[in-house]
């Protein structure tokens, strides 16, 4: 394992670094301590040539100018909270409603965890390098209760496994849901649509949403729907079965499991390059978003390549959306004395 660290820029007088990890197989991952953003993941294909398989930018200035969460952490509560409201112990908290034209709270607000400079330290083992990002989210930040001590670990090992780990504790009851929000295109970030990728999800059920993208509270079967990825399906084929070809759904992962135990979440495969990405997680759900909104604004990525709709997809391991307001969903509540801890592995290779 090797690492390099270079200065990426500054934000409010704080130094932002770019840390690149590389292994013996030619895989490279670059991350920055601004928003814990994964800026680049280079993976060799079947032909031995490496391609960058995540959407992103080559400079800090472009990230500061705004982006749709390319590679960033989302929190304190990722995904959506209806009307930006939730109650704990008979007190109702009002968060920012930052997803127009609806009035929902999205990904922690307009200044969520993705827009802070994090401290970090490195842990090097015989077969892995881990970057431990850390910060204190103070009581009342973005409207959330409790001072939250957070560590987000991103690491690469010699088995082409990319690790996303989260750990936090609080001094008063709060809600928490942390995810990495990378957009993947296994053919390469500049290769166009992901419709030709094949996807398998370890889920038999999903949580349908209303027009405002808030879960209705129902839990429905995937069988006989266009959302069925229980066995490998070409994404483009299923896109023809849903309105506008748009996927942005929460899939409930199968199987009761012990706390901290990994379960299969997803397998993504690009037949052209031969690259695959298998996702394992301790989380109860995964959000599959196929990037259908990318054409809403002109996003010009690395080397000036314009990202269009369906140019990258997200597989966000997570707690359920709007779970602070749905008592029958897995609870996102974190109490003092408890530890929030979840781990996800993205395993890359070729077939």
């Amino acid at each position: 394992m090797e690492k390099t660290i270079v200065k990426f820029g500054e934000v409010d007088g704080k130094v932002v670094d770019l840390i690149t990890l590389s292994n013996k197989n030619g895989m490279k991952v670059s991350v920055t301590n601004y928003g814990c953003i994964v800026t680049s993941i280079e993976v060799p294909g079947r032909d031995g040539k490496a391609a960058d398989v995540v959407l992103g930018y080559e400079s800090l200035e472009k990230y500061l100018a705004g982006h749709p969460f390319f590679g960033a952490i989302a929190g304190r509560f990722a995904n959506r909270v209806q009307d930006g409201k939730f109650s704990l112990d008979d007190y109702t908290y009002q968060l920012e409603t930052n997803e127009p034209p609806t009035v929902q709270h999205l990904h922690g607000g307009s200044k969520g965890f993705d827009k802070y400079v994090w401290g970090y330290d490195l842990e090097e083992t015989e077969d892995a390098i881990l970057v431990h990002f850390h910060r204190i989210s103070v009581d009342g930040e973005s409207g959330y209760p409790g001072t939250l001590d957070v560590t987000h670990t991103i690491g690469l090992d010699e088995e082409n496994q990319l690790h996303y780990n989260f750990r936090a504790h609080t001094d008063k009851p709060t809600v928490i849901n942390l995810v990495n929000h990378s957009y993947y295109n296994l053919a390469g970030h500049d290769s166009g649509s992901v419709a030709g990728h094949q996807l398998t999800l370890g889920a038999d059920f999903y949580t349908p949403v209303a027009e405002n993208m808030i879960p209705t509270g129902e839990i429905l079967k995937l069988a006989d729907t266009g959302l069925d990825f229980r066995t490998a399906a070409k994404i483009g084929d299923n896109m023809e079965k849903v309105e506008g070809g748009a996927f942005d759904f929460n899939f409930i992962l199968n199987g009761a499991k012990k706390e901290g135990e990994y379960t299969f979440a997803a397998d993504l495969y690009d037949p052209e390059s031969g690259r695959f990405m298998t996702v394992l997680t301790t989380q109860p759900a995964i959000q599959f978003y196929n990037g259908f909104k990318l054409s809403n604004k002109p996003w010009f990525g690395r080397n000036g390549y314009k990202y269009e709709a369906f140019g990258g997809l997200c597989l966000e391991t997570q707690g359920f959306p709007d779970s602070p307001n749905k008592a029958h969903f897995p609870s996102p509540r974190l109490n003092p004395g408890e530890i929030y801890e979840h781990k996800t592995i993205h395993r890359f290779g070729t077939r």
Side-chain angles (χ1 to χ4, degrees):
M1 297 293 304
E2 296 183 355
K3 70 178 186 300
T4 61
I5 302 174
V6 298
K7 185 176 179 180
F8 204 39
E10 292 188 9
V11 175
D12 297 329
K14 298 178 180 179
V15 173
V16 176
D17 288 335
L18 186 69
I19 307 114
T20 299
L21 313 178
S22 56
N23 68 13
K24 63 185 179 183
N25 304 314
M27 183 172 168
K28 294 183 179 181
V29 177
S30 294
V31 300
T32 175
N33 60 317
Y34 175 73
C36 304
I37 294 171
V38 177
T39 65
S40 173
I41 302 175
E42 295 184 19
V43 183
R46 193 188 293 117
D47 60 3
K49 296 180 180 179
D52 202 331
V53 299
V54 288
L55 278 56
Y57 300 125
E58 71 282 359
S59 72
L60 177 62
E61 287 72 24
K62 287 189 176 181
Y63 286 105
L64 294 176
H67 62 101
F69 289 87
F70 287 145
I73 187 175
R76 180 179 304 194
F77 193 92
N79 216 306
R80 296 168 177 86
V81 177
Q82 184 170 10
D83 301 327
K85 294 181 180 179
F86 67 91
S87 296
L88 290 176
D89 302 328
D90 299 322
Y91 185 86
T92 298
Y93 294 90
Q94 178 64 64
L95 307 174
E96 178 187 10
T97 53
N98 63 309
E99 191 188 28
T102 66
V103 288
Q104 318 311 331
H105 178 77
L106 178 67
H107 293 331
S110 57
K111 191 175 182 182
F113 284 9
D114 60 298
K115 293 181 177 66
Y116 287 89
V117 178
W118 294 56
Y120 74 93
D121 53 77
L122 298 174
E123 177 185 353
E124 299 186 50
T125 69
E126 186 175 337
D127 61 355
I129 300 179
L130 305 173
V131 186
H132 301 295
F133 298 103
H134 48 81
R135 70 175 298 263
I136 302 294
S137 174
V138 299
D139 184 24
E141 183 179 284
S142 296
Y144 289 93
T147 295
L148 197 70
D149 189 333
V150 188
T151 299
H152 176 26
T153 298
I154 301 175
L156 176 66
D157 67 24
E158 294 286 22
E159 302 302 319
N160 282 10
Q161 296 184 134
L162 182 57
H163 299 261
Y164 295 109
N165 302 338
F166 299 95
R167 184 179 175 90
H169 58 85
T170 183
D171 65 354
K172 70 168 64 170
T174 191
V175 296
I176 182 171
N177 184 30
L178 302 177
V179 307
N180 171 267
H181 202 292
S182 288
Y183 289 71
Y184 297 94
N185 187 324
L186 296 185
H189 81 101
D190 54 357
S191 61
S193 175
V194 295
H197 285 39
Q198 296 174 8
L199 177 65
T200 309
L201 296 175
D204 293 332
F205 297 88
Y206 76 108
T207 53
V209 295
E211 290 184 3
N212 61 4
M213 295 302 296
I214 295 296
T216 63
E218 299 170 282
I219 294 176
L220 300 182
K221 292 182 178 180
L222 292 164
D224 302 319
T225 74
L227 282 64
D228 190 355
F229 291 94
R230 292 175 299 159
T231 58
K234 185 177 177 182
I235 292 174
D237 290 346
N238 277 13
M239 284 168 55
E240 294 177 0
K241 303 173 185 178
V242 299
E243 184 177 354
F247 283 93
D248 195 3
F249 292 97
N250 176 61
F251 293 79
I252 301 171
L253 297 177
N254 291 334
K257 53 188 180 295
K258 296 178 182 178
E259 186 174 349
E261 189 175 87
Y262 287 102
T263 191
F264 171 75
D267 185 86
L268 184 67
Y269 176 60
D270 171 40
E272 293 298 318
S273 68
R275 295 184 188 90
F276 72 84
M277 180 181 75
T278 300
V279 183
L280 308 172
T281 190
T282 65
Q283 287 276 32
I286 188 167
Q287 187 88 6
F288 168 41
Y289 168 55
N290 68 345
F292 68 93
K293 297 179 183 177
L294 282 173
S295 291
N296 289 358
K297 293 183 180 180
W299 305 111
F300 290 92
R302 279 185 299 279
N303 304 317
Y305 184 80
K306 186 177 182 181
Y307 297 138
E308 303 281 5
F310 316 116
L313 62 85
C314 302
L315 292 166
E316 305 154 61
T317 55
Q318 62 176 9
F320 290 19
D322 199 38
S323 53
N325 297 312
K326 303 286 193 297
H328 60 297
F329 284 0
S331 175
R333 178 172 176 146
L334 181 66
N335 294 311
E338 298 175 344
I339 299 294
Y340 172 91
E341 186 168 23
H342 281 291
K343 299 179 179 181
T344 296
I345 292 172
H346 289 237
R347 182 179 296 149
F348 294 86
T350 58
R351 297 185 184 125

